[in-house]
Amino acid sequence: MEKTLIQLEHIHKSYGKQTIIEDLSLEVRDGEFLTLLGPSGCGKTTLLRMINGFETPDKGEVLLDGVNQVAIQPNKREVNTVFQSYALFPHLTVRENIEFSLKMKKVDKNEIKERVDEVLELTNLEALASRKPGKLSGGQQQRVAIARSLVNKPKVLLLDEPLGALDLKLRKQMQIELKKMQRRLGITYVYVTHDQEEALTISDRIVVLNKGNIEQIGEPFEIYHSPKTEFVASFLGESNFFEGKYENGVFHYGDAKIPVEANGTKDANLLSVRPEYININLGKTEENALEAMVTEVTYLGQTNRIELKLKDGKKVYALSEIEELEKGKKVFLTFHSKECTLLKKQEQ
Amino acid sequence: MVKKKHMSNILIALLAILVLVFLYLPIVIVIVYAFNADTVNCFPMNGFSLKWFQVMAENKDLILALEHSLIIAVVSTLIACILGVPGAYAMYCYNFPGKELLNRIVMLPLILPGILTGIAMLTFFKALGVTQGMTAVILGHSTFLIATVLPQVYARLRRMDHNIIEAAQDLGATGFQTFVHIILPNVKTAIISSALLSFTLSMDEIPVTYFLNGVFSTLPIQIWGMTRNGITPEVNAISSIIFAVSLVAILISNMLNKED
């Protein structure tokens, strides 16, 4: 059942002298929710536009169900797109917007009605069917955009930052709705976002992109807990980085010896520790503990975000609920040895 | 302070009224005289009458000129739309060198003195072998009417969300289907409003027509000829009608432009 639906093979793309994507290959499995995650300018939207046909790779192939798509016009491809701005047709009602693709393909009238009704119900838009897009809220427009694509029964639904324009609360709600709908329909989703939290919440697999290269592909848990590169560790969530050397279960950072239960590459020169895996101790409980001074305490509700300074001046962030922590207090840090990740430093 | 501001408001309003009176009083006088019972334009009038409208309707030359004008206005407006709308769409869709220049050059026939355009076209048409007459006038009008259609439609296209074109293609529409089902409905009001404006511009055009008409007459040229021997009340009558029709066309054009 883990069939490959989309294959991107050795894709190259540049605009003028600027190379956007260099030799990128990627497979999308049938029925999965795949997210392309990366900062703006990383090439994620360009990749999406190669799948829907609005961009052509300079070199390389785009295969859908084994068929090369590069020479196929966007209107003939069996994929549909939910655009960032929704791009609803302002002169048509919700129902007419949804009917559009079926009418263009000259589908039988009765079938159009049936399929449109079905999608309207699925997206909870029945009551709004006769309204024009201008009279809808952002979330409702979003649902119309999705309904308009789904009515086509595409092999793949491409979503280009579809929640970008919504406020936080609605965005969270829509994330869950999107995920639920995808599970129910079993359609493959390729989702583009720069929001790492969103990617972790909704994806089956995440592709982390940076400067047109794939940094890591994996399930959300794996990406968060075992980042393979410095970029992934810093882009998804927050992390503290220590430069040093790894030898036999110990990471040497300056004079300090930090015990690490190997997670990552053996010839590492960088240690990544997420703030939640740093313990703050008021007394020196362990020989290897790092001495630090609290420089800032920020209240986050459930916990506090503590900014600390090591003796060599390095800043470290940790999370702690200890109440006695205040500016200027001397503390000792220990790390969860299993949750530390060994990395190779990347050229910036 | 409040009082001062009040005073300045009144002054501005007065000034505005004076400007409007200066602009429109002559037209009002023409309309009033159109209903004059007298043969001479003088005040006070000797009574109200519709007889000049009847005299006008019986003036065969005038009616024939009106027919010519209508045909010219309708046909050249159509040509201007048929060339101007796809032209605007092409400018919107494709980037090519000199695009901005073209956008301005297209406006040239509107900005240039009509007499210049007229001479230029006469010379050009002569060279092409197009004789003076209805066809020449229609061609002449169409060229400068494109200047009202293309920029207006182009401006509307630029205000449209470009993504809806990609969305239409993504949903399976061909280029032609996209143009008919998505582009046209979205620029419909711009087309109608520029067509109405074109129609009025063509109806009262004299300089270009004068160089190209040859032997036949259009309404403004006919009226102009009639006034050489003094203004007769029937000229007032036809002027009133033209004014009313133009006013309605421009109001509709304005209303459509304000929409969306």
Side-chain angles (χ1 to χ4, degrees), chain A residues 215-232:
Chain A
E215 295 271 339
Q216 189 171 356
I217 305 177
E219 289 172 14
F221 185 86
E222 184 189 340
I223 297 265
Y224 187 81
H225 288 274
S226 320
K228 284 213 174 91
T229 67
E230 183 185 355
F231 176 82
V232 176

Side-chain angles (χ1 to χ4, degrees), chain B residues 69-85 137-138 141-143 145-146 148-149 191-203:
Chain B
S69 269
L70 283 174
I71 294 171
I72 291 167
V74 168
V75 176
S76 21
T77 299
L78 269 176
I79 294 178
C81 287
I82 289 168
L83 293 177
V85 176
V137 174
I138 289 176
H141 280 201
S142 313
T143 16
L145 292 183
I146 290 179
T148 71
V149 176
I191 296 174
I192 296 174
S193 96
S194 57
L196 284 171
L197 185 64
S198 297
F199 183 83
T200 15
L201 282 178
S202 168
M203 279 299 281

Side-chain angles (χ1 to χ4, degrees), chain A residues 49 75 80-81 85 91 101, chain B residues 163 166 169-171 173 181 186:
Chain A
R49 290 171 64 82
N75 60 339
N80 282 116
T81 314
S85 63
H91 61 294
S101 61
Chain B
N163 287 314
E166 283 193 354
Q169 285 171 16
D170 186 78
L171 292 166
H181 295 282
N186 273 297

Side-chain angles (χ1 to χ4, degrees), chain A residues 49 52 54 74-76 79-81 83 85 87-91 100-101 104-106 148-149 152, chain B residues 160-175 177-178 180-183 185-186:
Chain A
R49 290 171 64 82
N52 63 21
F54 291 107
N75 60 339
K76 303 279 181 237
V79 299
N80 282 116
T81 314
F83 291 86
S85 63
L88 300 177
F89 306 129
H91 61 294
F100 183 79
S101 61
M104 292 304 111
K105 288 172 191 158
K106 306 204 164 58
R148 187 176 68 172
S149 297
N152 250 321
Chain B
M160 196 179 75
D161 177 11
H162 181 78
N163 287 314
I164 65 173
I165 296 176
E166 283 193 354
Q169 285 171 16
D170 186 78
L171 292 166
T174 61
Q177 282 175 323
T178 307
V180 172
H181 295 282
I182 302 300
I183 304 300
N186 273 297

Side-chain angles (χ1 to χ4, degrees), chain A residues 156-315:
Chain A
V156 184
L157 187 66
L158 307 171
L159 303 105
D160 186 6
E161 308 231 9
L163 307 180
L166 305 179
D167 63 66
L168 188 69
K169 204 176 158 193
L170 193 57
R171 199 155 72 212
K172 300 255 177 216
Q173 206 179 314
M174 284 301 293
Q175 285 170 9
I176 297 166
E177 250 180 71
L178 272 177
K179 180 82 198 159
K180 272 190 190 163
M181 203 185 290
Q182 191 261 343
R183 287 244 169 90
R184 196 162 45 189
L185 297 169
I187 294 180
T188 309
Y189 277 37
V190 178
Y191 191 96
V192 162
T193 184
H194 65 269
D195 183 339
Q196 40 99 7
E197 217 181 302
E198 189 166 285
L200 292 172
T201 313
I202 57 178
S203 323
D204 292 329
R205 285 200 307 156
I206 299 174
V207 179
V208 185
L209 289 162
N210 183 29
K211 294 176 188 160
N213 292 307
I214 295 178
E215 295 271 339
Q216 189 171 356
I217 305 177
E219 289 172 14
F221 185 86
E222 184 189 340
I223 297 265
Y224 187 81
H225 288 274
S226 320
K228 284 213 174 91
T229 67
E230 183 185 355
F231 176 82
V232 176
S234 64
F235 191 73
L236 279 105
E238 202 176 17
S239 205
N240 297 293
F241 294 102
F242 300 92
E243 279 180 60
K245 207 169 166 334
Y246 175 76
E247 250 174 20
N248 302 328
V250 178
F251 190 84
H252 299 270
Y253 171 68
D255 299 335
K257 292 185 175 76
I258 304 167
V260 176
E261 285 181 41
N263 179 2
T265 168
K266 289 282 188 289
D267 57 346
N269 54 9
L270 196 68
L271 184 73
S272 159
V273 191
R274 300 220 177 261
E276 61 266 39
Y277 298 122
I278 295 182
N279 283 337
I280 300 180
N281 309 296
L282 296 173
K284 188 159 183 168
T285 49
E286 273 177 57
E287 192 195 343
N288 294 320
L290 287 170
E291 191 184 322
M293 194 171 76
V294 178
T295 53
E296 193 71 65
V297 179
T298 315
Y299 178 63
L300 295 181
Q302 291 171 331
T303 180
N304 293 319
R305 182 176 187 272
I306 319 288
E307 189 186 306
L308 305 129
K309 205 154 88 181
L310 297 184
K311 276 205 287 197
D312 61 4
K314 185 178 170 55
K315 274 187 182 169

